[in-house]
Coordinates of all heavy atoms in Angstrom, one line a residue:
S1 N 154.6 30.5 84.4 CA 155.9 31.0 85.0 C 155.7 32.3 85.7 O 155.0 33.2 85.1 CB 157.0 30.9 83.9 OG 157.4 32.2 83.6
S2 N 156.3 32.5 86.8 CA 156.0 33.7 87.6 C 157.3 34.5 87.9 O 157.4 35.1 88.9 CB 155.3 33.4 88.8 OG 156.0 32.5 89.6
G3 N 158.3 34.3 87.1 CA 159.6 34.9 87.4 C 159.7 36.4 86.9 O 158.7 36.9 86.3
I4 N 160.8 37.0 87.1 CA 161.1 38.4 86.7 C 160.9 38.6 85.2 O 160.5 39.7 84.8 CB 162.5 38.8 87.2 CG1 162.6 40.3 87.1 CG2 163.6 38.1 86.4 CD1 163.9 40.8 87.7
N5 N 161.0 37.6 84.4 CA 161.0 37.8 82.9 C 159.6 37.3 82.4 O 159.5 37.1 81.2 CB 162.1 37.0 82.3 CG 163.4 37.5 82.6 OD1 163.6 38.7 83.0 ND2 164.4 36.7 82.6
A6 N 158.6 37.1 83.3 CA 157.3 36.6 82.8 C 156.7 37.4 81.7 O 156.1 36.9 80.8 CB 156.4 36.5 84.0
E7 N 156.9 38.7 81.8 CA 156.3 39.6 80.8 C 156.9 39.3 79.4 O 156.3 39.7 78.4 CB 156.5 41.1 81.1 CG 158.0 41.5 81.2 CD 158.1 42.9 81.7 OE1 157.9 43.9 80.9 OE2 158.5 43.1 82.9
Y8 N 158.1 38.7 79.3 CA 158.7 38.4 78.0 C 158.4 36.9 77.6 O 158.9 36.5 76.6 CB 160.2 38.6 78.1 CG 160.6 40.0 78.3 CD1 161.2 40.4 79.5 CD2 160.3 41.0 77.4 CE1 161.6 41.7 79.7 CE2 160.7 42.3 77.6 CZ 161.3 42.6 78.8 OH 161.7 43.9 79.0
G9 N 157.6 36.2 78.4 CA 157.3 34.9 78.1 C 158.4 33.9 78.3 O 158.4 32.8 77.8
E10 N 159.4 34.3 79.2 CA 160.5 33.4 79.5 C 160.4 32.9 80.9 O 159.9 33.6 81.8 CB 161.8 34.2 79.4 CG 162.1 34.8 78.0 CD 163.4 35.6 77.9 OE1 163.9 36.0 79.0 OE2 163.8 35.9 76.8
E11 N 160.8 31.7 81.1 CA 160.9 31.2 82.4 C 162.0 31.9 83.2 O 163.0 32.3 82.6 CB 161.3 29.7 82.4 CG 161.2 29.0 83.7 CD 161.5 27.5 83.6 OE1 161.3 27.0 82.5 OE2 162.0 26.9 84.5
A12 N 161.9 32.1 84.5 CA 162.9 32.9 85.2 C 164.1 32.0 85.6 O 164.4 31.7 86.7 CB 162.3 33.4 86.5
K13 N 164.9 31.6 84.5 CA 166.1 30.9 84.7 C 167.2 31.9 85.0 O 167.1 33.1 84.6 CB 166.5 30.2 83.4 CG 165.5 29.1 83.0 CD 165.9 28.5 81.7 CE 164.8 27.5 81.2 NZ 165.1 27.1 79.8
P14 N 168.3 31.5 85.7 CA 169.4 32.5 86.0 C 169.9 33.2 84.8 O 170.1 34.4 84.8 CB 170.4 31.6 86.6 CG 169.7 30.4 87.2 CD 168.5 30.2 86.2
E15 N 170.1 32.5 83.6 CA 170.6 33.2 82.5 C 169.6 34.2 81.9 O 170.0 35.2 81.4 CB 171.1 32.2 81.4 CG 170.0 31.3 80.9 CD 169.8 30.0 81.6 OE1 170.3 29.9 82.8 OE2 169.1 29.1 81.1
N16 N 168.3 33.9 82.0 CA 167.3 34.8 81.5 C 167.3 36.0 82.5 O 167.1 37.2 82.0 CB 165.9 34.2 81.5 CG 165.8 33.1 80.4 OD1 166.7 33.1 79.5 ND2 164.9 32.3 80.5
T17 N 167.4 35.8 83.8 CA 167.4 36.9 84.7 C 168.6 37.8 84.5 O 168.4 39.0 84.5 CB 167.3 36.3 86.2 OG1 166.2 35.5 86.3 CG2 167.3 37.5 87.2
A18 N 169.7 37.2 84.3 CA 170.9 38.0 84.0 C 170.8 38.8 82.8 O 171.1 40.0 82.7 CB 172.2 37.1 83.9
R19 N 170.2 38.3 81.7 CA 170.0 39.0 80.5 C 169.0 40.2 80.7 O 169.2 41.3 80.2 CB 169.4 38.0 79.4 CG 169.1 38.7 78.1 CD 170.3 38.9 77.3 NE 170.6 40.3 77.4 CZ 171.8 40.9 77.1 NH1 172.8 40.1 76.8 NH2 172.1 42.1 77.2
F20 N 167.9 39.9 81.5 CA 167.0 40.9 81.8 C 167.7 42.1 82.5 O 167.5 43.2 82.2 CB 165.8 40.3 82.6 CG 164.8 41.3 83.0 CD1 163.8 41.8 82.2 CD2 164.8 41.9 84.3 CE1 162.9 42.7 82.6 CE2 163.9 42.8 84.7 CZ 162.9 43.2 83.8
L21 N 168.5 41.7 83.5 CA 169.2 42.7 84.3 C 170.1 43.5 83.4 O 170.1 44.8 83.5 CB 170.0 42.1 85.4 CG 170.8 43.0 86.3 CD1 170.0 44.0 87.0 CD2 171.7 42.2 87.3
L22 N 170.9 42.9 82.6 CA 171.8 43.6 81.7 C 171.0 44.5 80.7 O 171.4 45.7 80.4 CB 172.7 42.6 80.9 CG 173.7 41.9 81.7 CD1 174.4 40.9 80.8 CD2 174.7 42.9 82.2
D23 N 169.8 44.1 80.2 CA 169.0 44.9 79.4 C 168.5 46.1 80.1 O 168.6 47.2 79.5 CB 167.8 44.1 78.8 CG 168.2 43.1 77.8 OD1 169.3 43.1 77.3 OD2 167.3 42.2 77.6
Q24 N 168.1 46.0 81.3 CA 167.6 47.1 82.1 C 168.8 48.1 82.5 O 168.6 49.3 82.4 CB 166.9 46.6 83.4 CG 165.7 45.8 83.1 CD 164.7 46.5 82.2 OE1 164.4 47.6 82.3 NE2 164.4 45.7 81.1
L25 N 170.0 47.5 82.8 CA 171.1 48.4 83.0 C 171.5 49.2 81.8 O 171.9 50.3 81.8 CB 172.3 47.6 83.5 CG 172.2 47.1 85.0 CD1 173.3 46.2 85.3 CD2 172.2 48.3 85.9
Y26 N 171.3 48.5 80.6 CA 171.6 49.2 79.4 C 170.7 50.4 79.2 O 171.1 51.5 78.8 CB 171.5 48.3 78.2 CG 171.7 49.0 76.8 CD1 173.0 49.3 76.4 CD2 170.6 49.3 76.1 CE1 173.1 49.9 75.2 CE2 170.8 50.0 74.9 CZ 172.0 50.3 74.4 OH 172.2 50.9 73.2
V27 N 169.4 50.2 79.5 CA 168.4 51.3 79.4 C 168.8 52.4 80.4 O 168.8 53.6 80.0 CB 167.0 50.8 79.7 CG1 166.0 52.0 79.9 CG2 166.5 49.9 78.6
I28 N 169.2 52.1 81.6 CA 169.6 53.1 82.6 C 170.8 53.8 82.1 O 170.9 55.1 82.1 CB 169.8 52.4 83.9 CG1 168.5 51.9 84.5 CG2 170.5 53.4 84.9 CD1 168.7 51.0 85.7
S29 N 171.8 53.1 81.6 CA 173.0 53.7 81.1 C 172.7 54.6 79.9 O 173.3 55.7 79.9 CB 174.0 52.6 80.6 OG 175.2 53.1 80.1
E30 N 171.9 54.3 79.0 CA 171.5 55.1 77.9 C 170.9 56.4 78.4 O 171.1 57.5 77.9 CB 170.6 54.4 76.9 CG 171.3 53.3 76.1 CD 172.3 53.9 75.1 OE1 172.0 54.9 74.4 OE2 173.5 53.5 75.2
T31 N 170.0 56.3 79.4 CA 169.3 57.4 79.9 C 170.3 58.4 80.6 O 170.3 59.6 80.4 CB 168.3 57.0 81.0 OG1 167.3 56.2 80.3 CG2 167.5 58.2 81.5
I32 N 171.2 57.8 81.4 CA 172.3 58.6 82.0 C 173.2 59.3 81.0 O 173.6 60.4 81.1 CB 173.1 57.8 83.0 CG1 172.2 57.4 84.2 CG2 174.3 58.5 83.5 CD1 172.8 56.4 85.1
G33 N 173.5 58.5 79.9 CA 174.3 59.0 78.9 C 173.8 60.3 78.2 O 174.6 61.0 77.7
Q34 N 172.5 60.5 78.2 CA 171.9 61.7 77.7 C 172.4 62.9 78.4 O 172.3 64.0 77.9 CB 170.4 61.6 77.6 CG 169.9 60.5 76.7 CD 168.4 60.3 76.8 OE1 167.7 61.1 77.5 NE2 167.9 59.4 76.1
Y35 N 172.8 62.7 79.7 CA 173.2 63.9 80.5 C 174.8 64.1 80.5 O 175.2 65.0 81.2 CB 172.7 63.7 81.9 CG 171.2 63.7 81.9 CD1 170.5 62.5 81.9 CD2 170.5 64.8 81.8 CE1 169.1 62.4 81.9 CE2 169.1 64.8 81.8 CZ 168.4 63.6 81.8 OH 167.1 63.6 81.8
G36 N 175.5 63.2 79.9 CA 177.0 63.4 79.8 C 177.7 62.1 79.9 O 177.2 61.1 80.3
A37 N 178.9 62.1 79.4 CA 179.8 60.9 79.4 C 180.2 60.5 80.7 O 180.4 59.3 81.0 CB 181.0 61.2 78.5
G38 N 180.4 61.4 81.7 CA 180.9 61.1 83.0 C 180.0 60.0 83.7 O 180.5 59.0 84.1
P39 N 178.7 60.3 83.9 CA 177.9 59.3 84.5 C 177.8 58.0 83.8 O 177.7 56.9 84.4 CB 176.5 60.0 84.5 CG 176.8 61.5 84.5 CD 178.1 61.6 83.6
T40 N 177.9 58.0 82.4 CA 177.8 56.8 81.7 C 179.1 56.0 82.0 O 179.0 54.8 82.1 CB 177.8 57.1 80.2 OG1 176.6 57.9 79.9 CG2 177.8 55.8 79.3
Q41 N 180.2 56.6 82.1 CA 181.5 55.9 82.4 C 181.4 55.3 83.8 O 181.9 54.2 84.0 CB 182.7 56.8 82.2 CG 184.0 56.1 82.4 CD 184.2 55.1 81.3 OE1 183.9 55.3 80.1 NE2 184.7 53.9 81.6
V42 N 180.9 56.0 84.7 CA 180.7 55.5 86.1 C 179.9 54.2 86.0 O 180.2 53.2 86.7 CB 180.1 56.5 87.0 CG1 179.7 55.9 88.4 CG2 181.1 57.7 87.2
M43 N 178.8 54.3 85.3 CA 177.9 53.1 85.2 C 178.6 52.0 84.5 O 178.5 50.8 84.9 CB 176.6 53.5 84.5 CG 175.6 52.4 84.3 SD 175.0 51.7 85.8 CE 173.6 52.8 86.0
T44 N 179.3 52.3 83.4 CA 180.0 51.2 82.7 C 181.1 50.6 83.6 O 181.2 49.3 83.6 CB 180.6 51.8 81.4 OG1 179.6 52.4 80.6 CG2 181.4 50.7 80.7
D45 N 181.8 51.4 84.3 CA 182.8 50.8 85.2 C 182.2 50.0 86.3 O 182.7 48.9 86.6 CB 183.6 52.0 85.9 CG 184.6 52.6 85.0 OD1 184.9 52.1 83.8 OD2 185.2 53.7 85.4
W46 N 181.1 50.4 86.8 CA 180.4 49.6 87.9 C 179.9 48.3 87.3 O 180.2 47.2 87.9 CB 179.2 50.4 88.4 CG 178.5 49.6 89.4 CD1 178.8 49.4 90.8 CD2 177.3 48.8 89.2 NE1 177.8 48.6 91.4 CE2 176.9 48.2 90.4 CE3 176.5 48.5 88.1 CZ2 175.8 47.3 90.5 CZ3 175.5 47.7 88.2 CH2 175.1 47.1 89.4
L47 N 179.3 48.3 86.1 CA 178.8 47.1 85.5 C 180.0 46.1 85.2 O 179.9 44.9 85.5 CB 178.1 47.4 84.2 CG 177.5 46.2 83.5 CD1 176.6 45.4 84.4 CD2 176.7 46.7 82.2
N48 N 181.1 46.7 84.7 CA 182.2 45.8 84.4 C 182.8 45.2 85.6 O 183.2 44.1 85.7 CB 183.3 46.6 83.6 CG 183.0 46.9 82.2 OD1 182.3 46.1 81.6 ND2 183.5 48.0 81.7
D49 N 182.8 46.0 86.7 CA 183.3 45.4 88.0 C 182.4 44.3 88.5 O 182.9 43.3 89.1 CB 183.4 46.5 89.1 CG 184.5 47.5 88.9 OD1 185.4 47.2 88.1 OD2 184.4 48.6 89.5
Q50 N 181.2 44.3 88.2 CA 180.2 43.3 88.7 C 180.5 41.9 87.9 O 180.2 40.9 88.5 CB 178.8 43.7 88.5 CG 178.4 45.0 89.2 CD 178.9 45.0 90.7 OE1 178.5 44.1 91.5 NE2 179.7 46.0 91.0
I51 N 180.9 42.0 86.7 CA 181.0 40.8 85.9 C 182.5 40.4 85.6 O 182.7 39.4 85.0 CB 180.3 40.9 84.5 CG1 180.9 42.1 83.7 CG2 178.8 41.1 84.7 CD1 180.3 42.2 82.3
S52 N 183.4 41.2 86.2 CA 184.9 40.9 86.0 C 185.3 39.8 86.9 O 184.7 39.6 88.0 CB 185.7 42.1 86.3 OG 185.4 43.1 85.3
P53 N 186.4 39.1 86.6 CA 186.9 38.1 87.5 C 187.3 38.7 88.9 O 187.6 39.9 88.9 CB 188.2 37.6 86.8 CG 188.0 37.9 85.4 CD 187.1 39.2 85.3
A54 N 187.1 37.9 89.9 CA 187.3 38.4 91.3 C 188.7 39.0 91.5 O 188.9 39.9 92.4 CB 187.0 37.3 92.3
Y55 N 189.7 38.5 90.8 CA 191.1 39.0 91.1 C 191.4 40.3 90.4 O 192.5 40.9 90.6 CB 192.1 37.9 90.7 CG 192.2 37.5 89.2 CD1 193.2 38.2 88.4 CD2 191.4 36.6 88.7 CE1 193.3 37.9 87.1 CE2 191.5 36.3 87.3 CZ 192.4 36.9 86.5 OH 192.5 36.6 85.2
W56 N 190.5 40.8 89.5 CA 190.8 42.1 88.8 C 190.6 43.2 89.8 O 189.6 43.2 90.6 CB 189.9 42.3 87.7 CG 190.3 41.5 86.4 CD1 191.1 40.5 86.3 CD2 189.7 41.7 85.1 NE1 191.2 40.0 85.0 CE2 190.3 40.7 84.3 CE3 188.8 42.6 84.6 CZ2 190.1 40.7 82.9 CZ3 188.5 42.5 83.2 CH2 189.1 41.5 82.4
V57 N 191.5 44.2 89.8 CA 191.4 45.4 90.6 C 190.1 46.1 90.1 O 190.0 46.4 88.9 CB 192.6 46.3 90.5 CG1 192.4 47.5 91.3 CG2 193.8 45.5 91.0
P58 N 189.2 46.5 91.0 CA 188.0 47.2 90.5 C 188.4 48.5 89.7 O 189.4 49.2 90.1 CB 187.2 47.6 91.8 CG 187.7 46.6 92.8 CD 189.2 46.3 92.4
N59 N 187.6 48.9 88.7 CA 187.9 50.0 87.9 C 188.1 51.3 88.7 O 188.9 52.1 88.4 CB 186.8 50.2 86.8 CG 187.1 49.3 85.6 OD1 188.1 49.4 85.0 ND2 186.1 48.5 85.3
H60 N 187.2 51.5 89.7 CA 187.3 52.8 90.4 C 188.6 52.9 91.3 O 188.9 54.0 91.7 CB 186.1 53.0 91.3 CG 186.0 52.0 92.5 ND1 185.5 50.7 92.4 CD2 186.3 52.2 93.8 CE1 185.6 50.2 93.6 NE2 186.1 51.1 94.5
L61 N 189.3 51.8 91.5 CA 190.6 51.8 92.2 C 191.8 51.9 91.3 O 192.9 52.2 91.8 CB 190.7 50.6 93.1 CG 189.7 50.4 94.2 CD1 189.9 49.1 94.9 CD2 189.7 51.6 95.2
V62 N 191.5 51.8 90.0 CA 192.6 51.9 89.0 C 192.7 53.3 88.6 O 192.0 53.8 87.8 CB 192.4 51.0 87.8 CG1 193.5 51.1 86.8 CG2 192.3 49.5 88.2
T63 N 193.6 54.1 89.2 CA 193.8 55.5 89.0 C 195.0 55.8 88.1 O 195.1 56.9 87.6 CB 193.8 56.3 90.3 OG1 195.0 55.8 91.0 CG2 192.6 56.1 91.1
S64 N 195.9 54.8 87.9 CA 197.1 55.0 87.1 C 197.5 53.7 86.5 O 197.1 52.6 87.1 CB 198.2 55.7 87.9 OG 198.6 54.8 88.9
C65 N 198.2 53.7 85.5 CA 198.8 52.5 84.8 C 199.7 51.8 85.8 O 200.6 52.5 86.3 CB 199.4 52.9 83.5 SG 200.2 51.5 82.7
H66 N 199.6 50.5 85.9 CA 200.4 49.8 86.8 C 201.9 49.7 86.3 O 202.8 49.6 87.1 CB 199.9 48.3 86.9 CG 200.6 47.5 87.9 ND1 200.5 47.7 89.3 CD2 201.4 46.4 87.8 CE1 201.2 46.8 90.0 NE2 201.7 46.0 89.1
A67 N 202.1 49.9 85.0 CA 203.4 49.8 84.4 C 204.1 51.2 84.4 O 205.2 51.4 85.0 CB 203.4 49.2 83.0
C68 N 203.5 52.1 83.7 CA 204.2 53.4 83.5 C 203.8 54.5 84.5 O 204.4 55.6 84.5 CB 203.9 53.9 82.1 SG 202.2 54.5 81.8
K69 N 202.8 54.2 85.4 CA 202.4 55.1 86.4 C 201.7 56.4 86.0 O 201.4 57.2 86.8 CB 203.5 55.4 87.4 CG 204.3 54.3 87.9 CD 203.4 53.3 88.7 CE 204.3 52.1 89.3 NZ 203.5 50.9 89.4
V70 N 201.4 56.5 84.7 CA 200.7 57.7 84.2 C 199.3 57.6 84.8 O 198.6 56.6 84.7 CB 200.6 57.7 82.7 CG1 199.7 58.7 82.1 CG2 202.0 57.9 82.1
Q71 N 198.8 58.8 85.3 CA 197.5 58.9 85.9 C 196.4 58.8 84.7 O 196.6 59.4 83.7 CB 197.3 60.2 86.6 CG 198.2 60.4 87.8 CD 197.7 59.5 89.0 OE1 196.5 59.4 89.3 NE2 198.6 58.7 89.5
F72 N 195.3 58.1 85.0 CA 194.2 58.0 84.0 C 193.4 59.3 84.1 O 193.1 59.8 85.2 CB 193.3 56.8 84.3 CG 194.0 55.5 83.9 CD1 194.3 54.6 84.9 CD2 194.2 55.2 82.6 CE1 194.8 53.3 84.5 CE2 194.8 54.0 82.2 CZ 195.1 53.1 83.2
V73 N 193.0 59.8 83.0 CA 192.1 60.9 82.9 C 190.7 60.3 83.2 O 190.5 59.1 83.0 CB 192.1 61.7 81.6 CG1 193.4 62.4 81.5 CG2 191.9 60.8 80.4
P74 N 189.7 61.0 83.5 CA 188.4 60.4 83.9 C 187.8 59.4 82.9 O 187.2 58.4 83.3 CB 187.5 61.6 84.1 CG 188.4 62.7 84.6 CD 189.7 62.5 83.8
L75 N 187.9 59.6 81.6 CA 187.2 58.7 80.7 C 188.2 57.8 80.0 O 187.9 57.2 78.9 CB 186.4 59.6 79.7 CG 185.3 60.4 80.3 CD1 184.6 61.2 79.2 CD2 184.3 59.6 81.0
A76 N 189.4 57.7 80.5 CA 190.4 56.8 79.9 C 190.0 55.4 79.8 O 189.4 54.9 80.8 CB 191.8 57.0 80.6
K77 N 190.4 54.7 78.8 CA 190.2 53.2 78.7 C 191.2 52.5 79.5 O 192.4 52.9 79.5 CB 190.3 52.8 77.2 CG 190.2 51.4 76.9 CD 188.8 51.0 76.9 CE 188.7 49.5 76.5 NZ 187.5 48.8 77.0
K78 N 190.8 51.6 80.3 CA 191.6 50.8 81.2 C 191.6 49.4 80.8 O 190.5 48.8 80.5 CB 191.2 50.9 82.7 CG 191.1 52.4 83.2 CD 190.4 52.4 84.5 CE 190.2 53.9 84.9 NZ 189.4 54.0 86.2
H79 N 192.8 48.8 80.7 CA 192.9 47.3 80.3 C 193.4 46.6 81.6 O 194.3 47.0 82.2 CB 193.9 47.2 79.2 CG 193.5 47.9 78.0 ND1 192.6 47.3 77.0 CD2 193.8 49.1 77.5 CE1 192.5 48.2 76.0 NE2 193.1 49.3 76.3
H80 N 192.7 45.5 81.9 CA 193.1 44.6 83.0 C 194.0 43.5 82.5 O 193.6 42.8 81.5 CB 191.9 44.1 83.7 CG 191.2 45.1 84.6 ND1 190.4 46.0 84.1 CD2 191.4 45.3 85.9 CE1 189.9 46.8 85.1 NE2 190.5 46.4 86.2
C81 N 195.1 43.2 83.2 CA 195.9 42.1 82.9 C 195.2 40.8 83.3 O 194.7 40.7 84.4 CB 197.2 42.2 83.7 SG 198.3 40.8 83.4
R82 N 195.2 39.9 82.3 CA 194.5 38.6 82.6 C 195.2 37.7 83.6 O 194.7 36.8 84.2 CB 194.3 37.8 81.3 CG 193.4 38.5 80.3 CD 193.4 37.8 79.0 NE 192.5 38.5 78.1 CZ 192.3 38.1 76.8 NH1 193.0 37.1 76.3 NH2 191.5 38.7 76.0
A83 N 196.5 38.0 83.8 CA 197.3 37.2 84.8 C 197.2 37.8 86.2 O 196.9 37.1 87.1 CB 198.8 37.2 84.3
C84 N 197.5 39.1 86.3 CA 197.6 39.7 87.7 C 196.4 40.5 88.1 O 196.1 40.8 89.3 CB 198.8 40.6 87.8 SG 198.8 42.1 86.9
G85 N 195.6 41.0 87.1 CA 194.4 41.7 87.4 C 194.6 43.2 87.6 O 193.6 44.0 87.8
Q86 N 195.8 43.7 87.4 CA 196.1 45.1 87.5 C 195.6 45.9 86.3 O 195.4 45.3 85.2 CB 197.6 45.4 87.7 CG 198.1 44.8 89.0 CD 197.6 45.6 90.2 OE1 197.3 46.8 90.2 NE2 197.5 44.9 91.3
G87 N 195.5 47.2 86.4 CA 195.0 48.0 85.3 C 196.2 48.7 84.5 O 197.2 49.1 85.2
F88 N 196.1 48.7 83.2 CA 197.1 49.3 82.4 C 196.5 50.2 81.3 O 195.4 50.0 80.9 CB 197.9 48.1 81.7 CG 198.7 47.2 82.6 CD1 198.0 46.2 83.2 CD2 200.0 47.5 82.9 CE1 198.7 45.4 84.1 CE2 200.7 46.7 83.7 CZ 200.1 45.6 84.4
C89 N 197.4 51.1 80.9 CA 196.9 52.0 79.8 C 197.0 51.3 78.5 O 197.6 50.2 78.4 CB 197.8 53.3 79.8 SG 199.5 53.0 79.3
C90 N 196.5 51.9 77.4 CA 196.5 51.3 76.1 C 198.0 51.0 75.6 O 198.2 49.9 75.1 CB 195.8 52.1 75.0 SG 194.1 52.2 75.2
D91 N 198.9 51.9 75.9 CA 200.2 51.7 75.4 C 201.0 50.6 76.1 O 201.8 49.9 75.5 CB 201.0 53.0 75.6 CG 200.6 54.1 74.7 OD1 200.0 53.8 73.6 OD2 200.9 55.3 75.0
C92 N 200.7 50.4 77.4 CA 201.3 49.3 78.1 C 200.7 48.0 78.1 O 201.2 47.0 78.5 CB 201.5 49.8 79.6 SG 202.6 51.2 79.8
S93 N 199.5 47.9 77.6 CA 198.7 46.6 77.5 C 199.0 45.9 76.3 O 199.0 46.4 75.2 CB 197.2 46.9 77.6 OG 196.5 45.7 77.4
S94 N 199.3 44.6 76.4 CA 199.6 43.7 75.2 C 198.2 43.4 74.6 O 198.2 43.0 73.4 CB 200.3 42.5 75.6 OG 199.5 41.6 76.3
K95 N 197.1 43.4 75.3 CA 195.8 43.2 74.9 C 195.5 41.7 74.4 O 194.5 41.4 74.0 CB 195.3 44.1 73.8 CG 195.4 45.6 74.2 CD 195.0 46.5 73.1 CE 195.3 47.9 73.3 NZ 196.7 48.2 73.3
S96 N 196.6 40.9 74.6 CA 196.4 39.5 74.0 C 197.2 38.4 74.7 O 197.3 37.4 74.2 CB 196.7 39.5 72.5 OG 198.1 39.8 72.3
K97 N 197.7 38.7 75.9 CA 198.5 37.7 76.5 C 197.7 36.4 76.9 O 196.8 36.5 77.7 CB 199.2 38.3 77.8 CG 200.1 37.4 78.5 CD 200.7 38.0 79.8 CE 201.5 37.0 80.5 NZ 202.1 37.6 81.7
P98 N 198.1 35.3 76.5 CA 197.4 34.0 76.9 C 197.9 33.7 78.3 O 199.0 33.8 78.7 CB 197.9 33.0 75.9 CG 199.2 33.5 75.3 CD 199.2 35.0 75.4
V99 N 196.9 33.3 79.1 CA 197.1 33.0 80.5 C 196.3 31.7 80.8 O 195.2 31.7 81.4 CB 196.7 34.1 81.5 CG1 197.1 33.8 82.9 CG2 197.2 35.4 81.1
P100 N 196.9 30.5 80.4 CA 196.2 29.3 80.5 C 195.7 28.9 81.9 O 194.7 28.3 82.1 CB 197.1 28.2 79.9 CG 198.3 29.0 79.4 CD 198.2 30.4 79.8
W101 N 196.6 29.2 82.9 CA 196.2 28.8 84.3 C 195.0 29.6 84.8 O 194.4 29.2 85.8 CB 197.4 29.0 85.2 CG 197.9 30.4 85.5 CD1 197.5 31.2 86.5 CD2 198.8 31.1 84.7 NE1 198.1 32.4 86.4 CE2 199.0 32.4 85.3 CE3 199.6 30.8 83.6 CZ2 199.8 33.4 84.8 CZ3 200.5 31.8 83.1 CH2 200.6 33.0 83.7
R102 N 194.6 30.7 84.2 CA 193.5 31.5 84.5 C 192.3 31.2 83.6 O 191.2 31.8 83.7 CB 193.8 33.0 84.5 CG 194.7 33.5 85.5 CD 194.0 33.8 86.8 NE 194.9 34.6 87.6 CZ 194.6 34.8 88.9 NH1 193.5 34.4 89.4 NH2 195.5 35.6 89.6
G103 N 192.5 30.3 82.6 CA 191.4 30.0 81.7 C 191.3 31.0 80.5 O 190.3 31.0 79.8
W104 N 192.3 31.8 80.3 CA 192.3 32.8 79.2 C 193.1 32.3 78.0 O 194.2 31.9 78.1 CB 192.8 34.1 79.6 CG 192.0 34.8 80.7 CD1 192.3 34.8 82.0 CD2 190.9 35.6 80.5 NE1 191.4 35.5 82.7 CE2 190.5 36.0 81.8 CE3 190.1 36.0 79.5 CZ2 189.4 36.8 82.1 CZ3 189.0 36.8 79.7 CH2 188.6 37.2 81.0

């Protein structure tokens, strides 16, 4: 096998390649994290945006809670609604709304 994961003895299947990529991003994130929480949050937001459903508003565009309009501080936890994809603060998020038409 001559894929990206050959050094691990794995065939270069899409799921193996994705795992390899996530492992490498984790290493990068850990390295950046040694220099401060800000760069780590940027990397985490970027990674989450890459794997989030297409209808979710990207993290870097969510600057305030969609419900209460409170501005997010730089390292604030953002919750995305499974139905509409907007960002909400912890207080305004139900964190568990079933949305069967979206597969949640």
